[in-house]
Amino acid sequence: MTELTLAPLGTTVFELLQDGKQVAVVRDLNDAMLRIAMLVSGSEEAVNKMRRGDEFPELSAPGLSGSFYNRIRYEAAKGTSDFFISEHNIVETFKGPSVVKKLSVTHQFDPSFIVQAALYDVASGIADVDEAAGDVEEAIERRLRKHLSQNPNSEDMVSHIRQTQQQMGGPILLPQEITDPDQVLRELPATAGARFRELAAVAFPARSMKV
């Protein structure tokens, strides 16, 4: 019989919740995202199709297809479920929280995802390029203002944007030299819109675009 052992202190585990109910406790973020992919797609074949990124031929070139995590988030956003991942540290104490980080997969603010989702929308025929570009800028400005209104320490916003982009693997929109939240609010919506148009010009060269 295999001897049972407790997980060592300091071990990190990830809890996946769907609509507030625990679905699983897994070893890392990747396993949690794969669980979400299975839940929203329904089969391993569909998950592998998302991973390959071949659903949208116009976005097949490197830099256009998007990260696997953003593809999963885009699929999850089509449904009605709310997916949430909590990172926990196994600790010795019997009081105090074990949660280290929280990630709202379906609702977190991620400008890079907004750009990538707009590319998926155009490739799917949901929106045209000009319409999507305007939506990108409007959505990012709205979420920036909301984020700043809800967070007294505005410097956290810049850190959040960078960490989320790195974690989810979206297009890089925020240069390292930009650290001032006011500058981010002034410049990021237009920067994101321009980046979207740049990517869209490569992906959809035959479609009309306003300069």
Side-chain angles (χ1 to χ4, degrees):
M1 181 180 292
T2 303
E3 182 180 353
L4 298 178
T5 58
L6 295 175
L9 299 179
T11 298
T12 299
V13 294
F14 290 75
E15 178 188 23
L16 172 61
L17 298 99
Q18 181 179 10
D19 298 326
K21 296 180 180 180
Q22 187 188 88
V23 173
V25 175
V26 296
R27 60 185 174 181
D28 56 28
L29 176 65
N30 189 63
D31 280 2
M33 293 298 293
L34 284 172
R35 284 265 187 166
I36 295 173
M38 281 293 293
L39 288 168
V40 299
S41 69
S43 71
E44 187 173 339
E45 180 182 358
V47 172
N48 288 330
K49 189 175 182 181
M50 283 197 292
R51 191 198 299 272
R52 290 194 303 269
D54 56 4
E55 304 120 309
F56 308 120
E58 293 166 305
L59 302 179
S60 60
L64 295 176
S65 59
S67 71
F68 183 37
Y69 286 177
N70 273 340
R71 181 65 188 86
I72 293 171
R73 179 178 177 180
Y74 183 74
E75 199 65 27
K78 293 179 181 178
T80 58
S81 290
D82 182 20
F83 291 100
F84 199 92
I85 299 172
S86 291
E87 180 182 347
H88 295 261
N89 270 346
I90 294 176
V91 294
E92 188 174 28
T93 180
F94 293 105
K95 59 183 179 180
S98 62
V99 176
V100 178
K101 294 178 184 176
K102 295 181 178 181
L103 173 65
S104 174
V105 177
T106 39
H107 296 295
Q108 69 172 338
F109 175 47
D110 181 4
S112 292
F113 172 74
I114 292 173
V115 170
Q116 188 63 54
L119 290 171
Y120 291 146
D121 283 347
V122 175
S124 301
I126 296 174
D128 63 35
V129 171
D130 295 309
E131 179 183 22
D135 289 345
V136 163
E137 295 190 29
E138 191 275 332
I140 290 177
E141 182 174 0
R142 183 180 69 250
R143 291 295 299 271
L144 282 171
R145 292 188 183 281
K146 180 179 179 181
H147 196 90
L148 284 170
S149 70
Q150 294 176 344
N151 295 273
N153 185 0
S154 58
E155 292 182 359
D156 288 346
M157 180 189 71
V158 181
S159 175
H160 167 85
I161 291 172
R162 287 209 172 92
Q163 289 177 4
T164 303
Q165 182 278 320
Q166 183 178 30
Q167 190 173 49
M168 300 300 286
I172 297 175
L173 303 175
L174 196 60
Q176 287 297 322
E177 62 268 19
I178 295 182
T179 58
D180 177 36
D182 291 332
Q183 185 179 3
V184 173
L185 180 60
R186 289 194 309 269
E187 298 181 8
L188 185 57
T191 298
R195 180 62 174 150
F196 166 77
R197 286 184 178 277
E198 178 185 335
L199 295 171
V202 177
F204 318 109
R207 305 196 191 189
S208 62
M209 296 176 62
K210 297 175 183 176
V211 180

